[in-house]
Amino acid sequence: MATQFYLLLPLLFLPFLLFRHGASPPPPRRQHAVTGDDPGRHPVVLLPGNTCSQLEARLTDAYQPPLPQCGAAKGNGRWFRLWKNSTAMQDPELAPCLSDQLRLVYDPVARDFRNVPGVETRVLGFGSTRGFLADTPANKDLCMGRLVEALEKAGYRDGETLFGAPFDFRQAPAAPGQPCRAFSQFSRRLRALVEHASRENGGKPVVVMSHSQGGYFALEFLNRSPLPWRRRYVRHYVMASTGPGGFLLSMQLLASNPSAALSSGSAFTALPSPKVFGPDAPLVVTRARNYTAQDIPEFLKAIGLPRLAVTLYETRALPVKLNFRAPVVPTTCINGVGVPTMKELVYWDGNFSKAPEVVYGDGDDLILLESTLALETVIGDDPRQEYYRSIKLAGTSHAGVVSDGAALERVIGEILGVQE
C-alpha cells in the first residue's frame, strides 16, 4: 500500500540527466513585441511542476487509521507536514500512514475527488516561492529552485516582485461542468495573487510562468478567466516543459499499479492525447492488439481499471485534453528536445504487470517531440493568438529547462522580455 500513491507521481522518480545545451528557436510567429511597451520590471508569478508543492495535514476524529500508529495525531488539531515527509517515506511503519493520508477518494454524490474522511489538507506557502520543494539537489532542479535563484540575482524579491502559486498536485482541472472544488479554489487564489502582484507593482501586468504540470493548471486558469481580465493583468505567459500530448510514462505507471488509479484526481492528466497522436500511432503494442491515444479507454479496461475509472477519464480528463488551446495572451513555449523519450511500450505477451520493452523517440525524456511540435498548431496557429514564440533547447531534459545554465538564460530572457 505504501507505494501505490507514489506510482502516480511520475516526476518524483524520474531520473534527471543534465545535458549540455544548444538552442535553436524559430523566429516569433507574429511580431507583436512583448518588450518596450511598459517600462520597469514586471512582477512574476511561478507555478511549479508535479510534486513540487508542499502539503500540510491535520487529522480529525473522523479519521479511521489503517494501522494504530497512523492515528497518533488524530484529533489534536495540529498541522503536520504531509508532503514531502522524507522521514515517513523512509520508515516502514509510517510509510503506509503517509500513503493513506495522501490518497484521495472519489465522492459519487459530490462527483468530485476529496481527501480521505478525517484528513484535512492545505498547500504550504501560497504566494511565495519559498514553499517550493528544495530538499535535495534533484528537487531544487525540478522545482524551480535554480530559476528562483537566477531571478533573485536579476533583482527580483520574493513577495515583492516574485510570487509563487503552489497547488495540490493530487488534483487536476476537470472538464467544464464537472465539479472540481480544488481547482476552483486554486483559481480564485491565483486570480487574487495576480491582481495583488500587479497592484503592488504600480499596476503593471504580470508575467506568469509555469513548468510541467503547472502548465496544465496555468493554461486552464487563463482560458477560464475572462478575456478582458487576461488582457489587463497578464503581460506574458511563459510555459516550460508542457505539451498538449501528455506522455507515455503515465500509461506505464497505471499499467504497473492499476489499483491506485482512483487514489488521485490527476491520475489521467498526462495520458497521451488523441488530439496530438491521433488514431494511427501505436503507443502500446501487444501480440493481440495495439493501443493508440484514441484507444485509451480500452487500454484502461485491459490493465484492469474498474468502469468508474474509465468513466472518470472520459468525462473529467479527456475533454480537458481535447480542449487544450491558446490562452490568447502573449505566449512563449520553451521545451527540451534531442533527448531519448518513450515512444512505444511493448507488452508483447499482454502481461501489463511486467516491465515493458521501450521504444524511444525524440523529446525531453518525458514529453515527445510530436507533442512539442503540436504547440505550433494548437497555440501558434490560433488566429486569436496575436503573439506566440516557440523555443526548443537541444539536448535539454524536462527538468533541465528550468535548471541548467544555458536553458535558464533563455528562460530569464523571456521573463525579462529580452529577445534575440
Side-chain angles (χ1 to χ4, degrees):
M1 180 180 179
T3 61
Q4 288 184 0
F5 187 80
Y6 304 130
L7 286 172
L8 294 177
L9 304 179
L11 297 183
L12 183 62
F13 294 116
L14 192 67
F16 297 112
L17 303 177
L18 304 183
F19 294 87
R20 189 176 183 87
H21 309 308
S24 54
R29 297 292 298 272
R30 298 179 178 90
Q31 299 296 331
H32 286 244
V34 178
T35 59
D37 54 346
D38 290 304
R41 175 172 286 115
H42 288 258
V44 174
V45 175
L46 302 179
L47 282 75
N50 191 16
T51 74
C52 289
S53 304
Q54 301 190 69
L55 305 177
E56 291 185 322
R58 65 181 177 188
L59 307 180
T60 71
D61 290 333
Y63 180 59
Q64 299 296 320
L67 297 169
Q69 64 267 28
C70 298
K74 179 177 174 179
N76 67 14
R78 289 201 281 272
W79 291 93
F80 61 91
R81 185 65 54 85
L82 182 65
W83 183 265
K84 183 181 178 187
N85 188 333
S86 299
T87 300
M89 290 174 66
Q90 297 168 8
D91 188 327
E93 291 192 359
L94 295 179
C97 307
L98 178 64
S99 179
D100 186 64
Q101 293 159 12
L102 270 171
R103 69 186 176 92
L104 300 178
V105 294
Y106 181 73
D107 184 340
V109 176
R111 296 168 49 232
D112 199 3
F113 283 90
R114 58 172 176 77
N115 288 316
V116 172
V119 177
E120 298 177 354
T121 57
R122 65 185 184 187
V123 175
L124 183 66
F126 188 87
S128 169
T129 61
R130 299 295 184 246
F132 295 178
L133 192 62
D135 61 323
T136 66
N139 279 331
K140 197 170 185 180
D141 288 346
L142 173 64
C143 297
M144 292 182 153
R146 308 296 179 195
L147 175 61
V148 168
E149 291 174 350
L151 285 170
E152 290 179 337
K153 287 180 181 178
Y156 281 86
R157 295 293 176 264
D158 190 79
E160 298 178 11
T161 50
L162 179 62
F163 304 87
F167 52 87
D168 188 339
F169 53 83
R170 304 171 302 164
Q171 300 277 5
Q178 291 286 329
C180 188
R181 184 168 176 262
F183 182 68
S184 296
Q185 291 178 335
F186 171 78
S187 294
R188 288 193 294 270
R189 298 185 77 187
L190 180 54
R191 185 170 294 110
L193 178 62
V194 168
E195 292 174 0
H196 168 78
S198 174
R199 186 168 57 250
E200 293 298 306
N201 287 273
K204 294 186 181 74
V206 172
V207 176
V208 176
M209 182 186 170
S210 64
H211 179 243
S212 193
Q213 188 190 16
Y216 296 120
F217 278 76
L219 197 58
E220 283 300 309
F221 165 75
L222 290 172
N223 277 319
R224 299 187 194 192
S225 297
L227 185 56
W229 185 92
R230 282 178 261 170
R231 288 177 171 166
R232 162 64 182 87
Y233 285 104
V234 181
R235 168 182 166 86
H236 192 187
Y237 174 40
V238 180
M239 184 169 71
S241 300
T242 304
F247 48 82
L248 267 73
L249 182 59
S250 59
M251 298 183 78
Q252 181 185 358
L253 293 171
L254 281 171
S256 66
N257 193 20
S259 63
L262 291 175
S263 297
S264 169
S266 59
F268 305 129
T269 300
L271 286 172
S273 171
K275 187 171 185 174
V276 173
F277 295 103
D280 300 320
L283 303 177
V284 173
V285 176
T286 73
R287 180 188 289 109
R289 65 162 296 176
N290 296 338
Y291 296 91
T292 69
Q294 287 195 345
D295 299 325
I296 284 181
E298 288 74 23
F299 170 77
L300 297 178
K301 295 172 189 175
I303 64 176
L305 265 61
R307 179 62 219 177
L308 173 61
V310 179
T311 299
L312 293 178
Y313 164 75
E314 293 174 326
T315 59
R316 291 178 69 88
L318 181 59
V320 176
K321 294 176 182 299
L322 297 177
N323 202 32
F324 191 107
R325 65 194 188 279
V328 199
V329 296
T331 299
T332 298
C333 296
I334 306 177
N335 290 274
V337 297
V339 181
T341 303
M342 283 185 181
K343 187 173 184 177
E344 290 182 9
L345 302 174
V346 181
Y347 298 91
W348 189 244
D349 62 359
N351 186 346
F352 294 108
S353 65
K354 294 183 179 179
E357 296 181 26
V358 178
V359 178
Y360 290 92
D362 192 353
D364 70 357
D365 79 12
L366 191 67
I367 296 174
L368 281 163
L369 178 62
E370 290 87 337
S371 185
T372 296
L373 294 177
L375 291 165
E376 303 279 347
T377 302
V378 174
I379 297 180
D381 287 346
D382 190 317
R384 303 169 304 157
Q385 184 69 33
E386 294 184 348
Y387 175 89
Y388 170 72
R389 177 178 172 90
S390 175
I391 297 175
K392 303 174 187 68
L393 300 175
T396 307
S397 69
H398 192 80
V401 169
V402 292
S403 62
D404 292 2
L408 275 178
E409 289 182 11
R410 298 306 302 270
V411 171
I412 295 296
E414 289 301 314
I415 290 174
L416 296 178
V418 179
Q419 298 185 26
E420 297 177 357

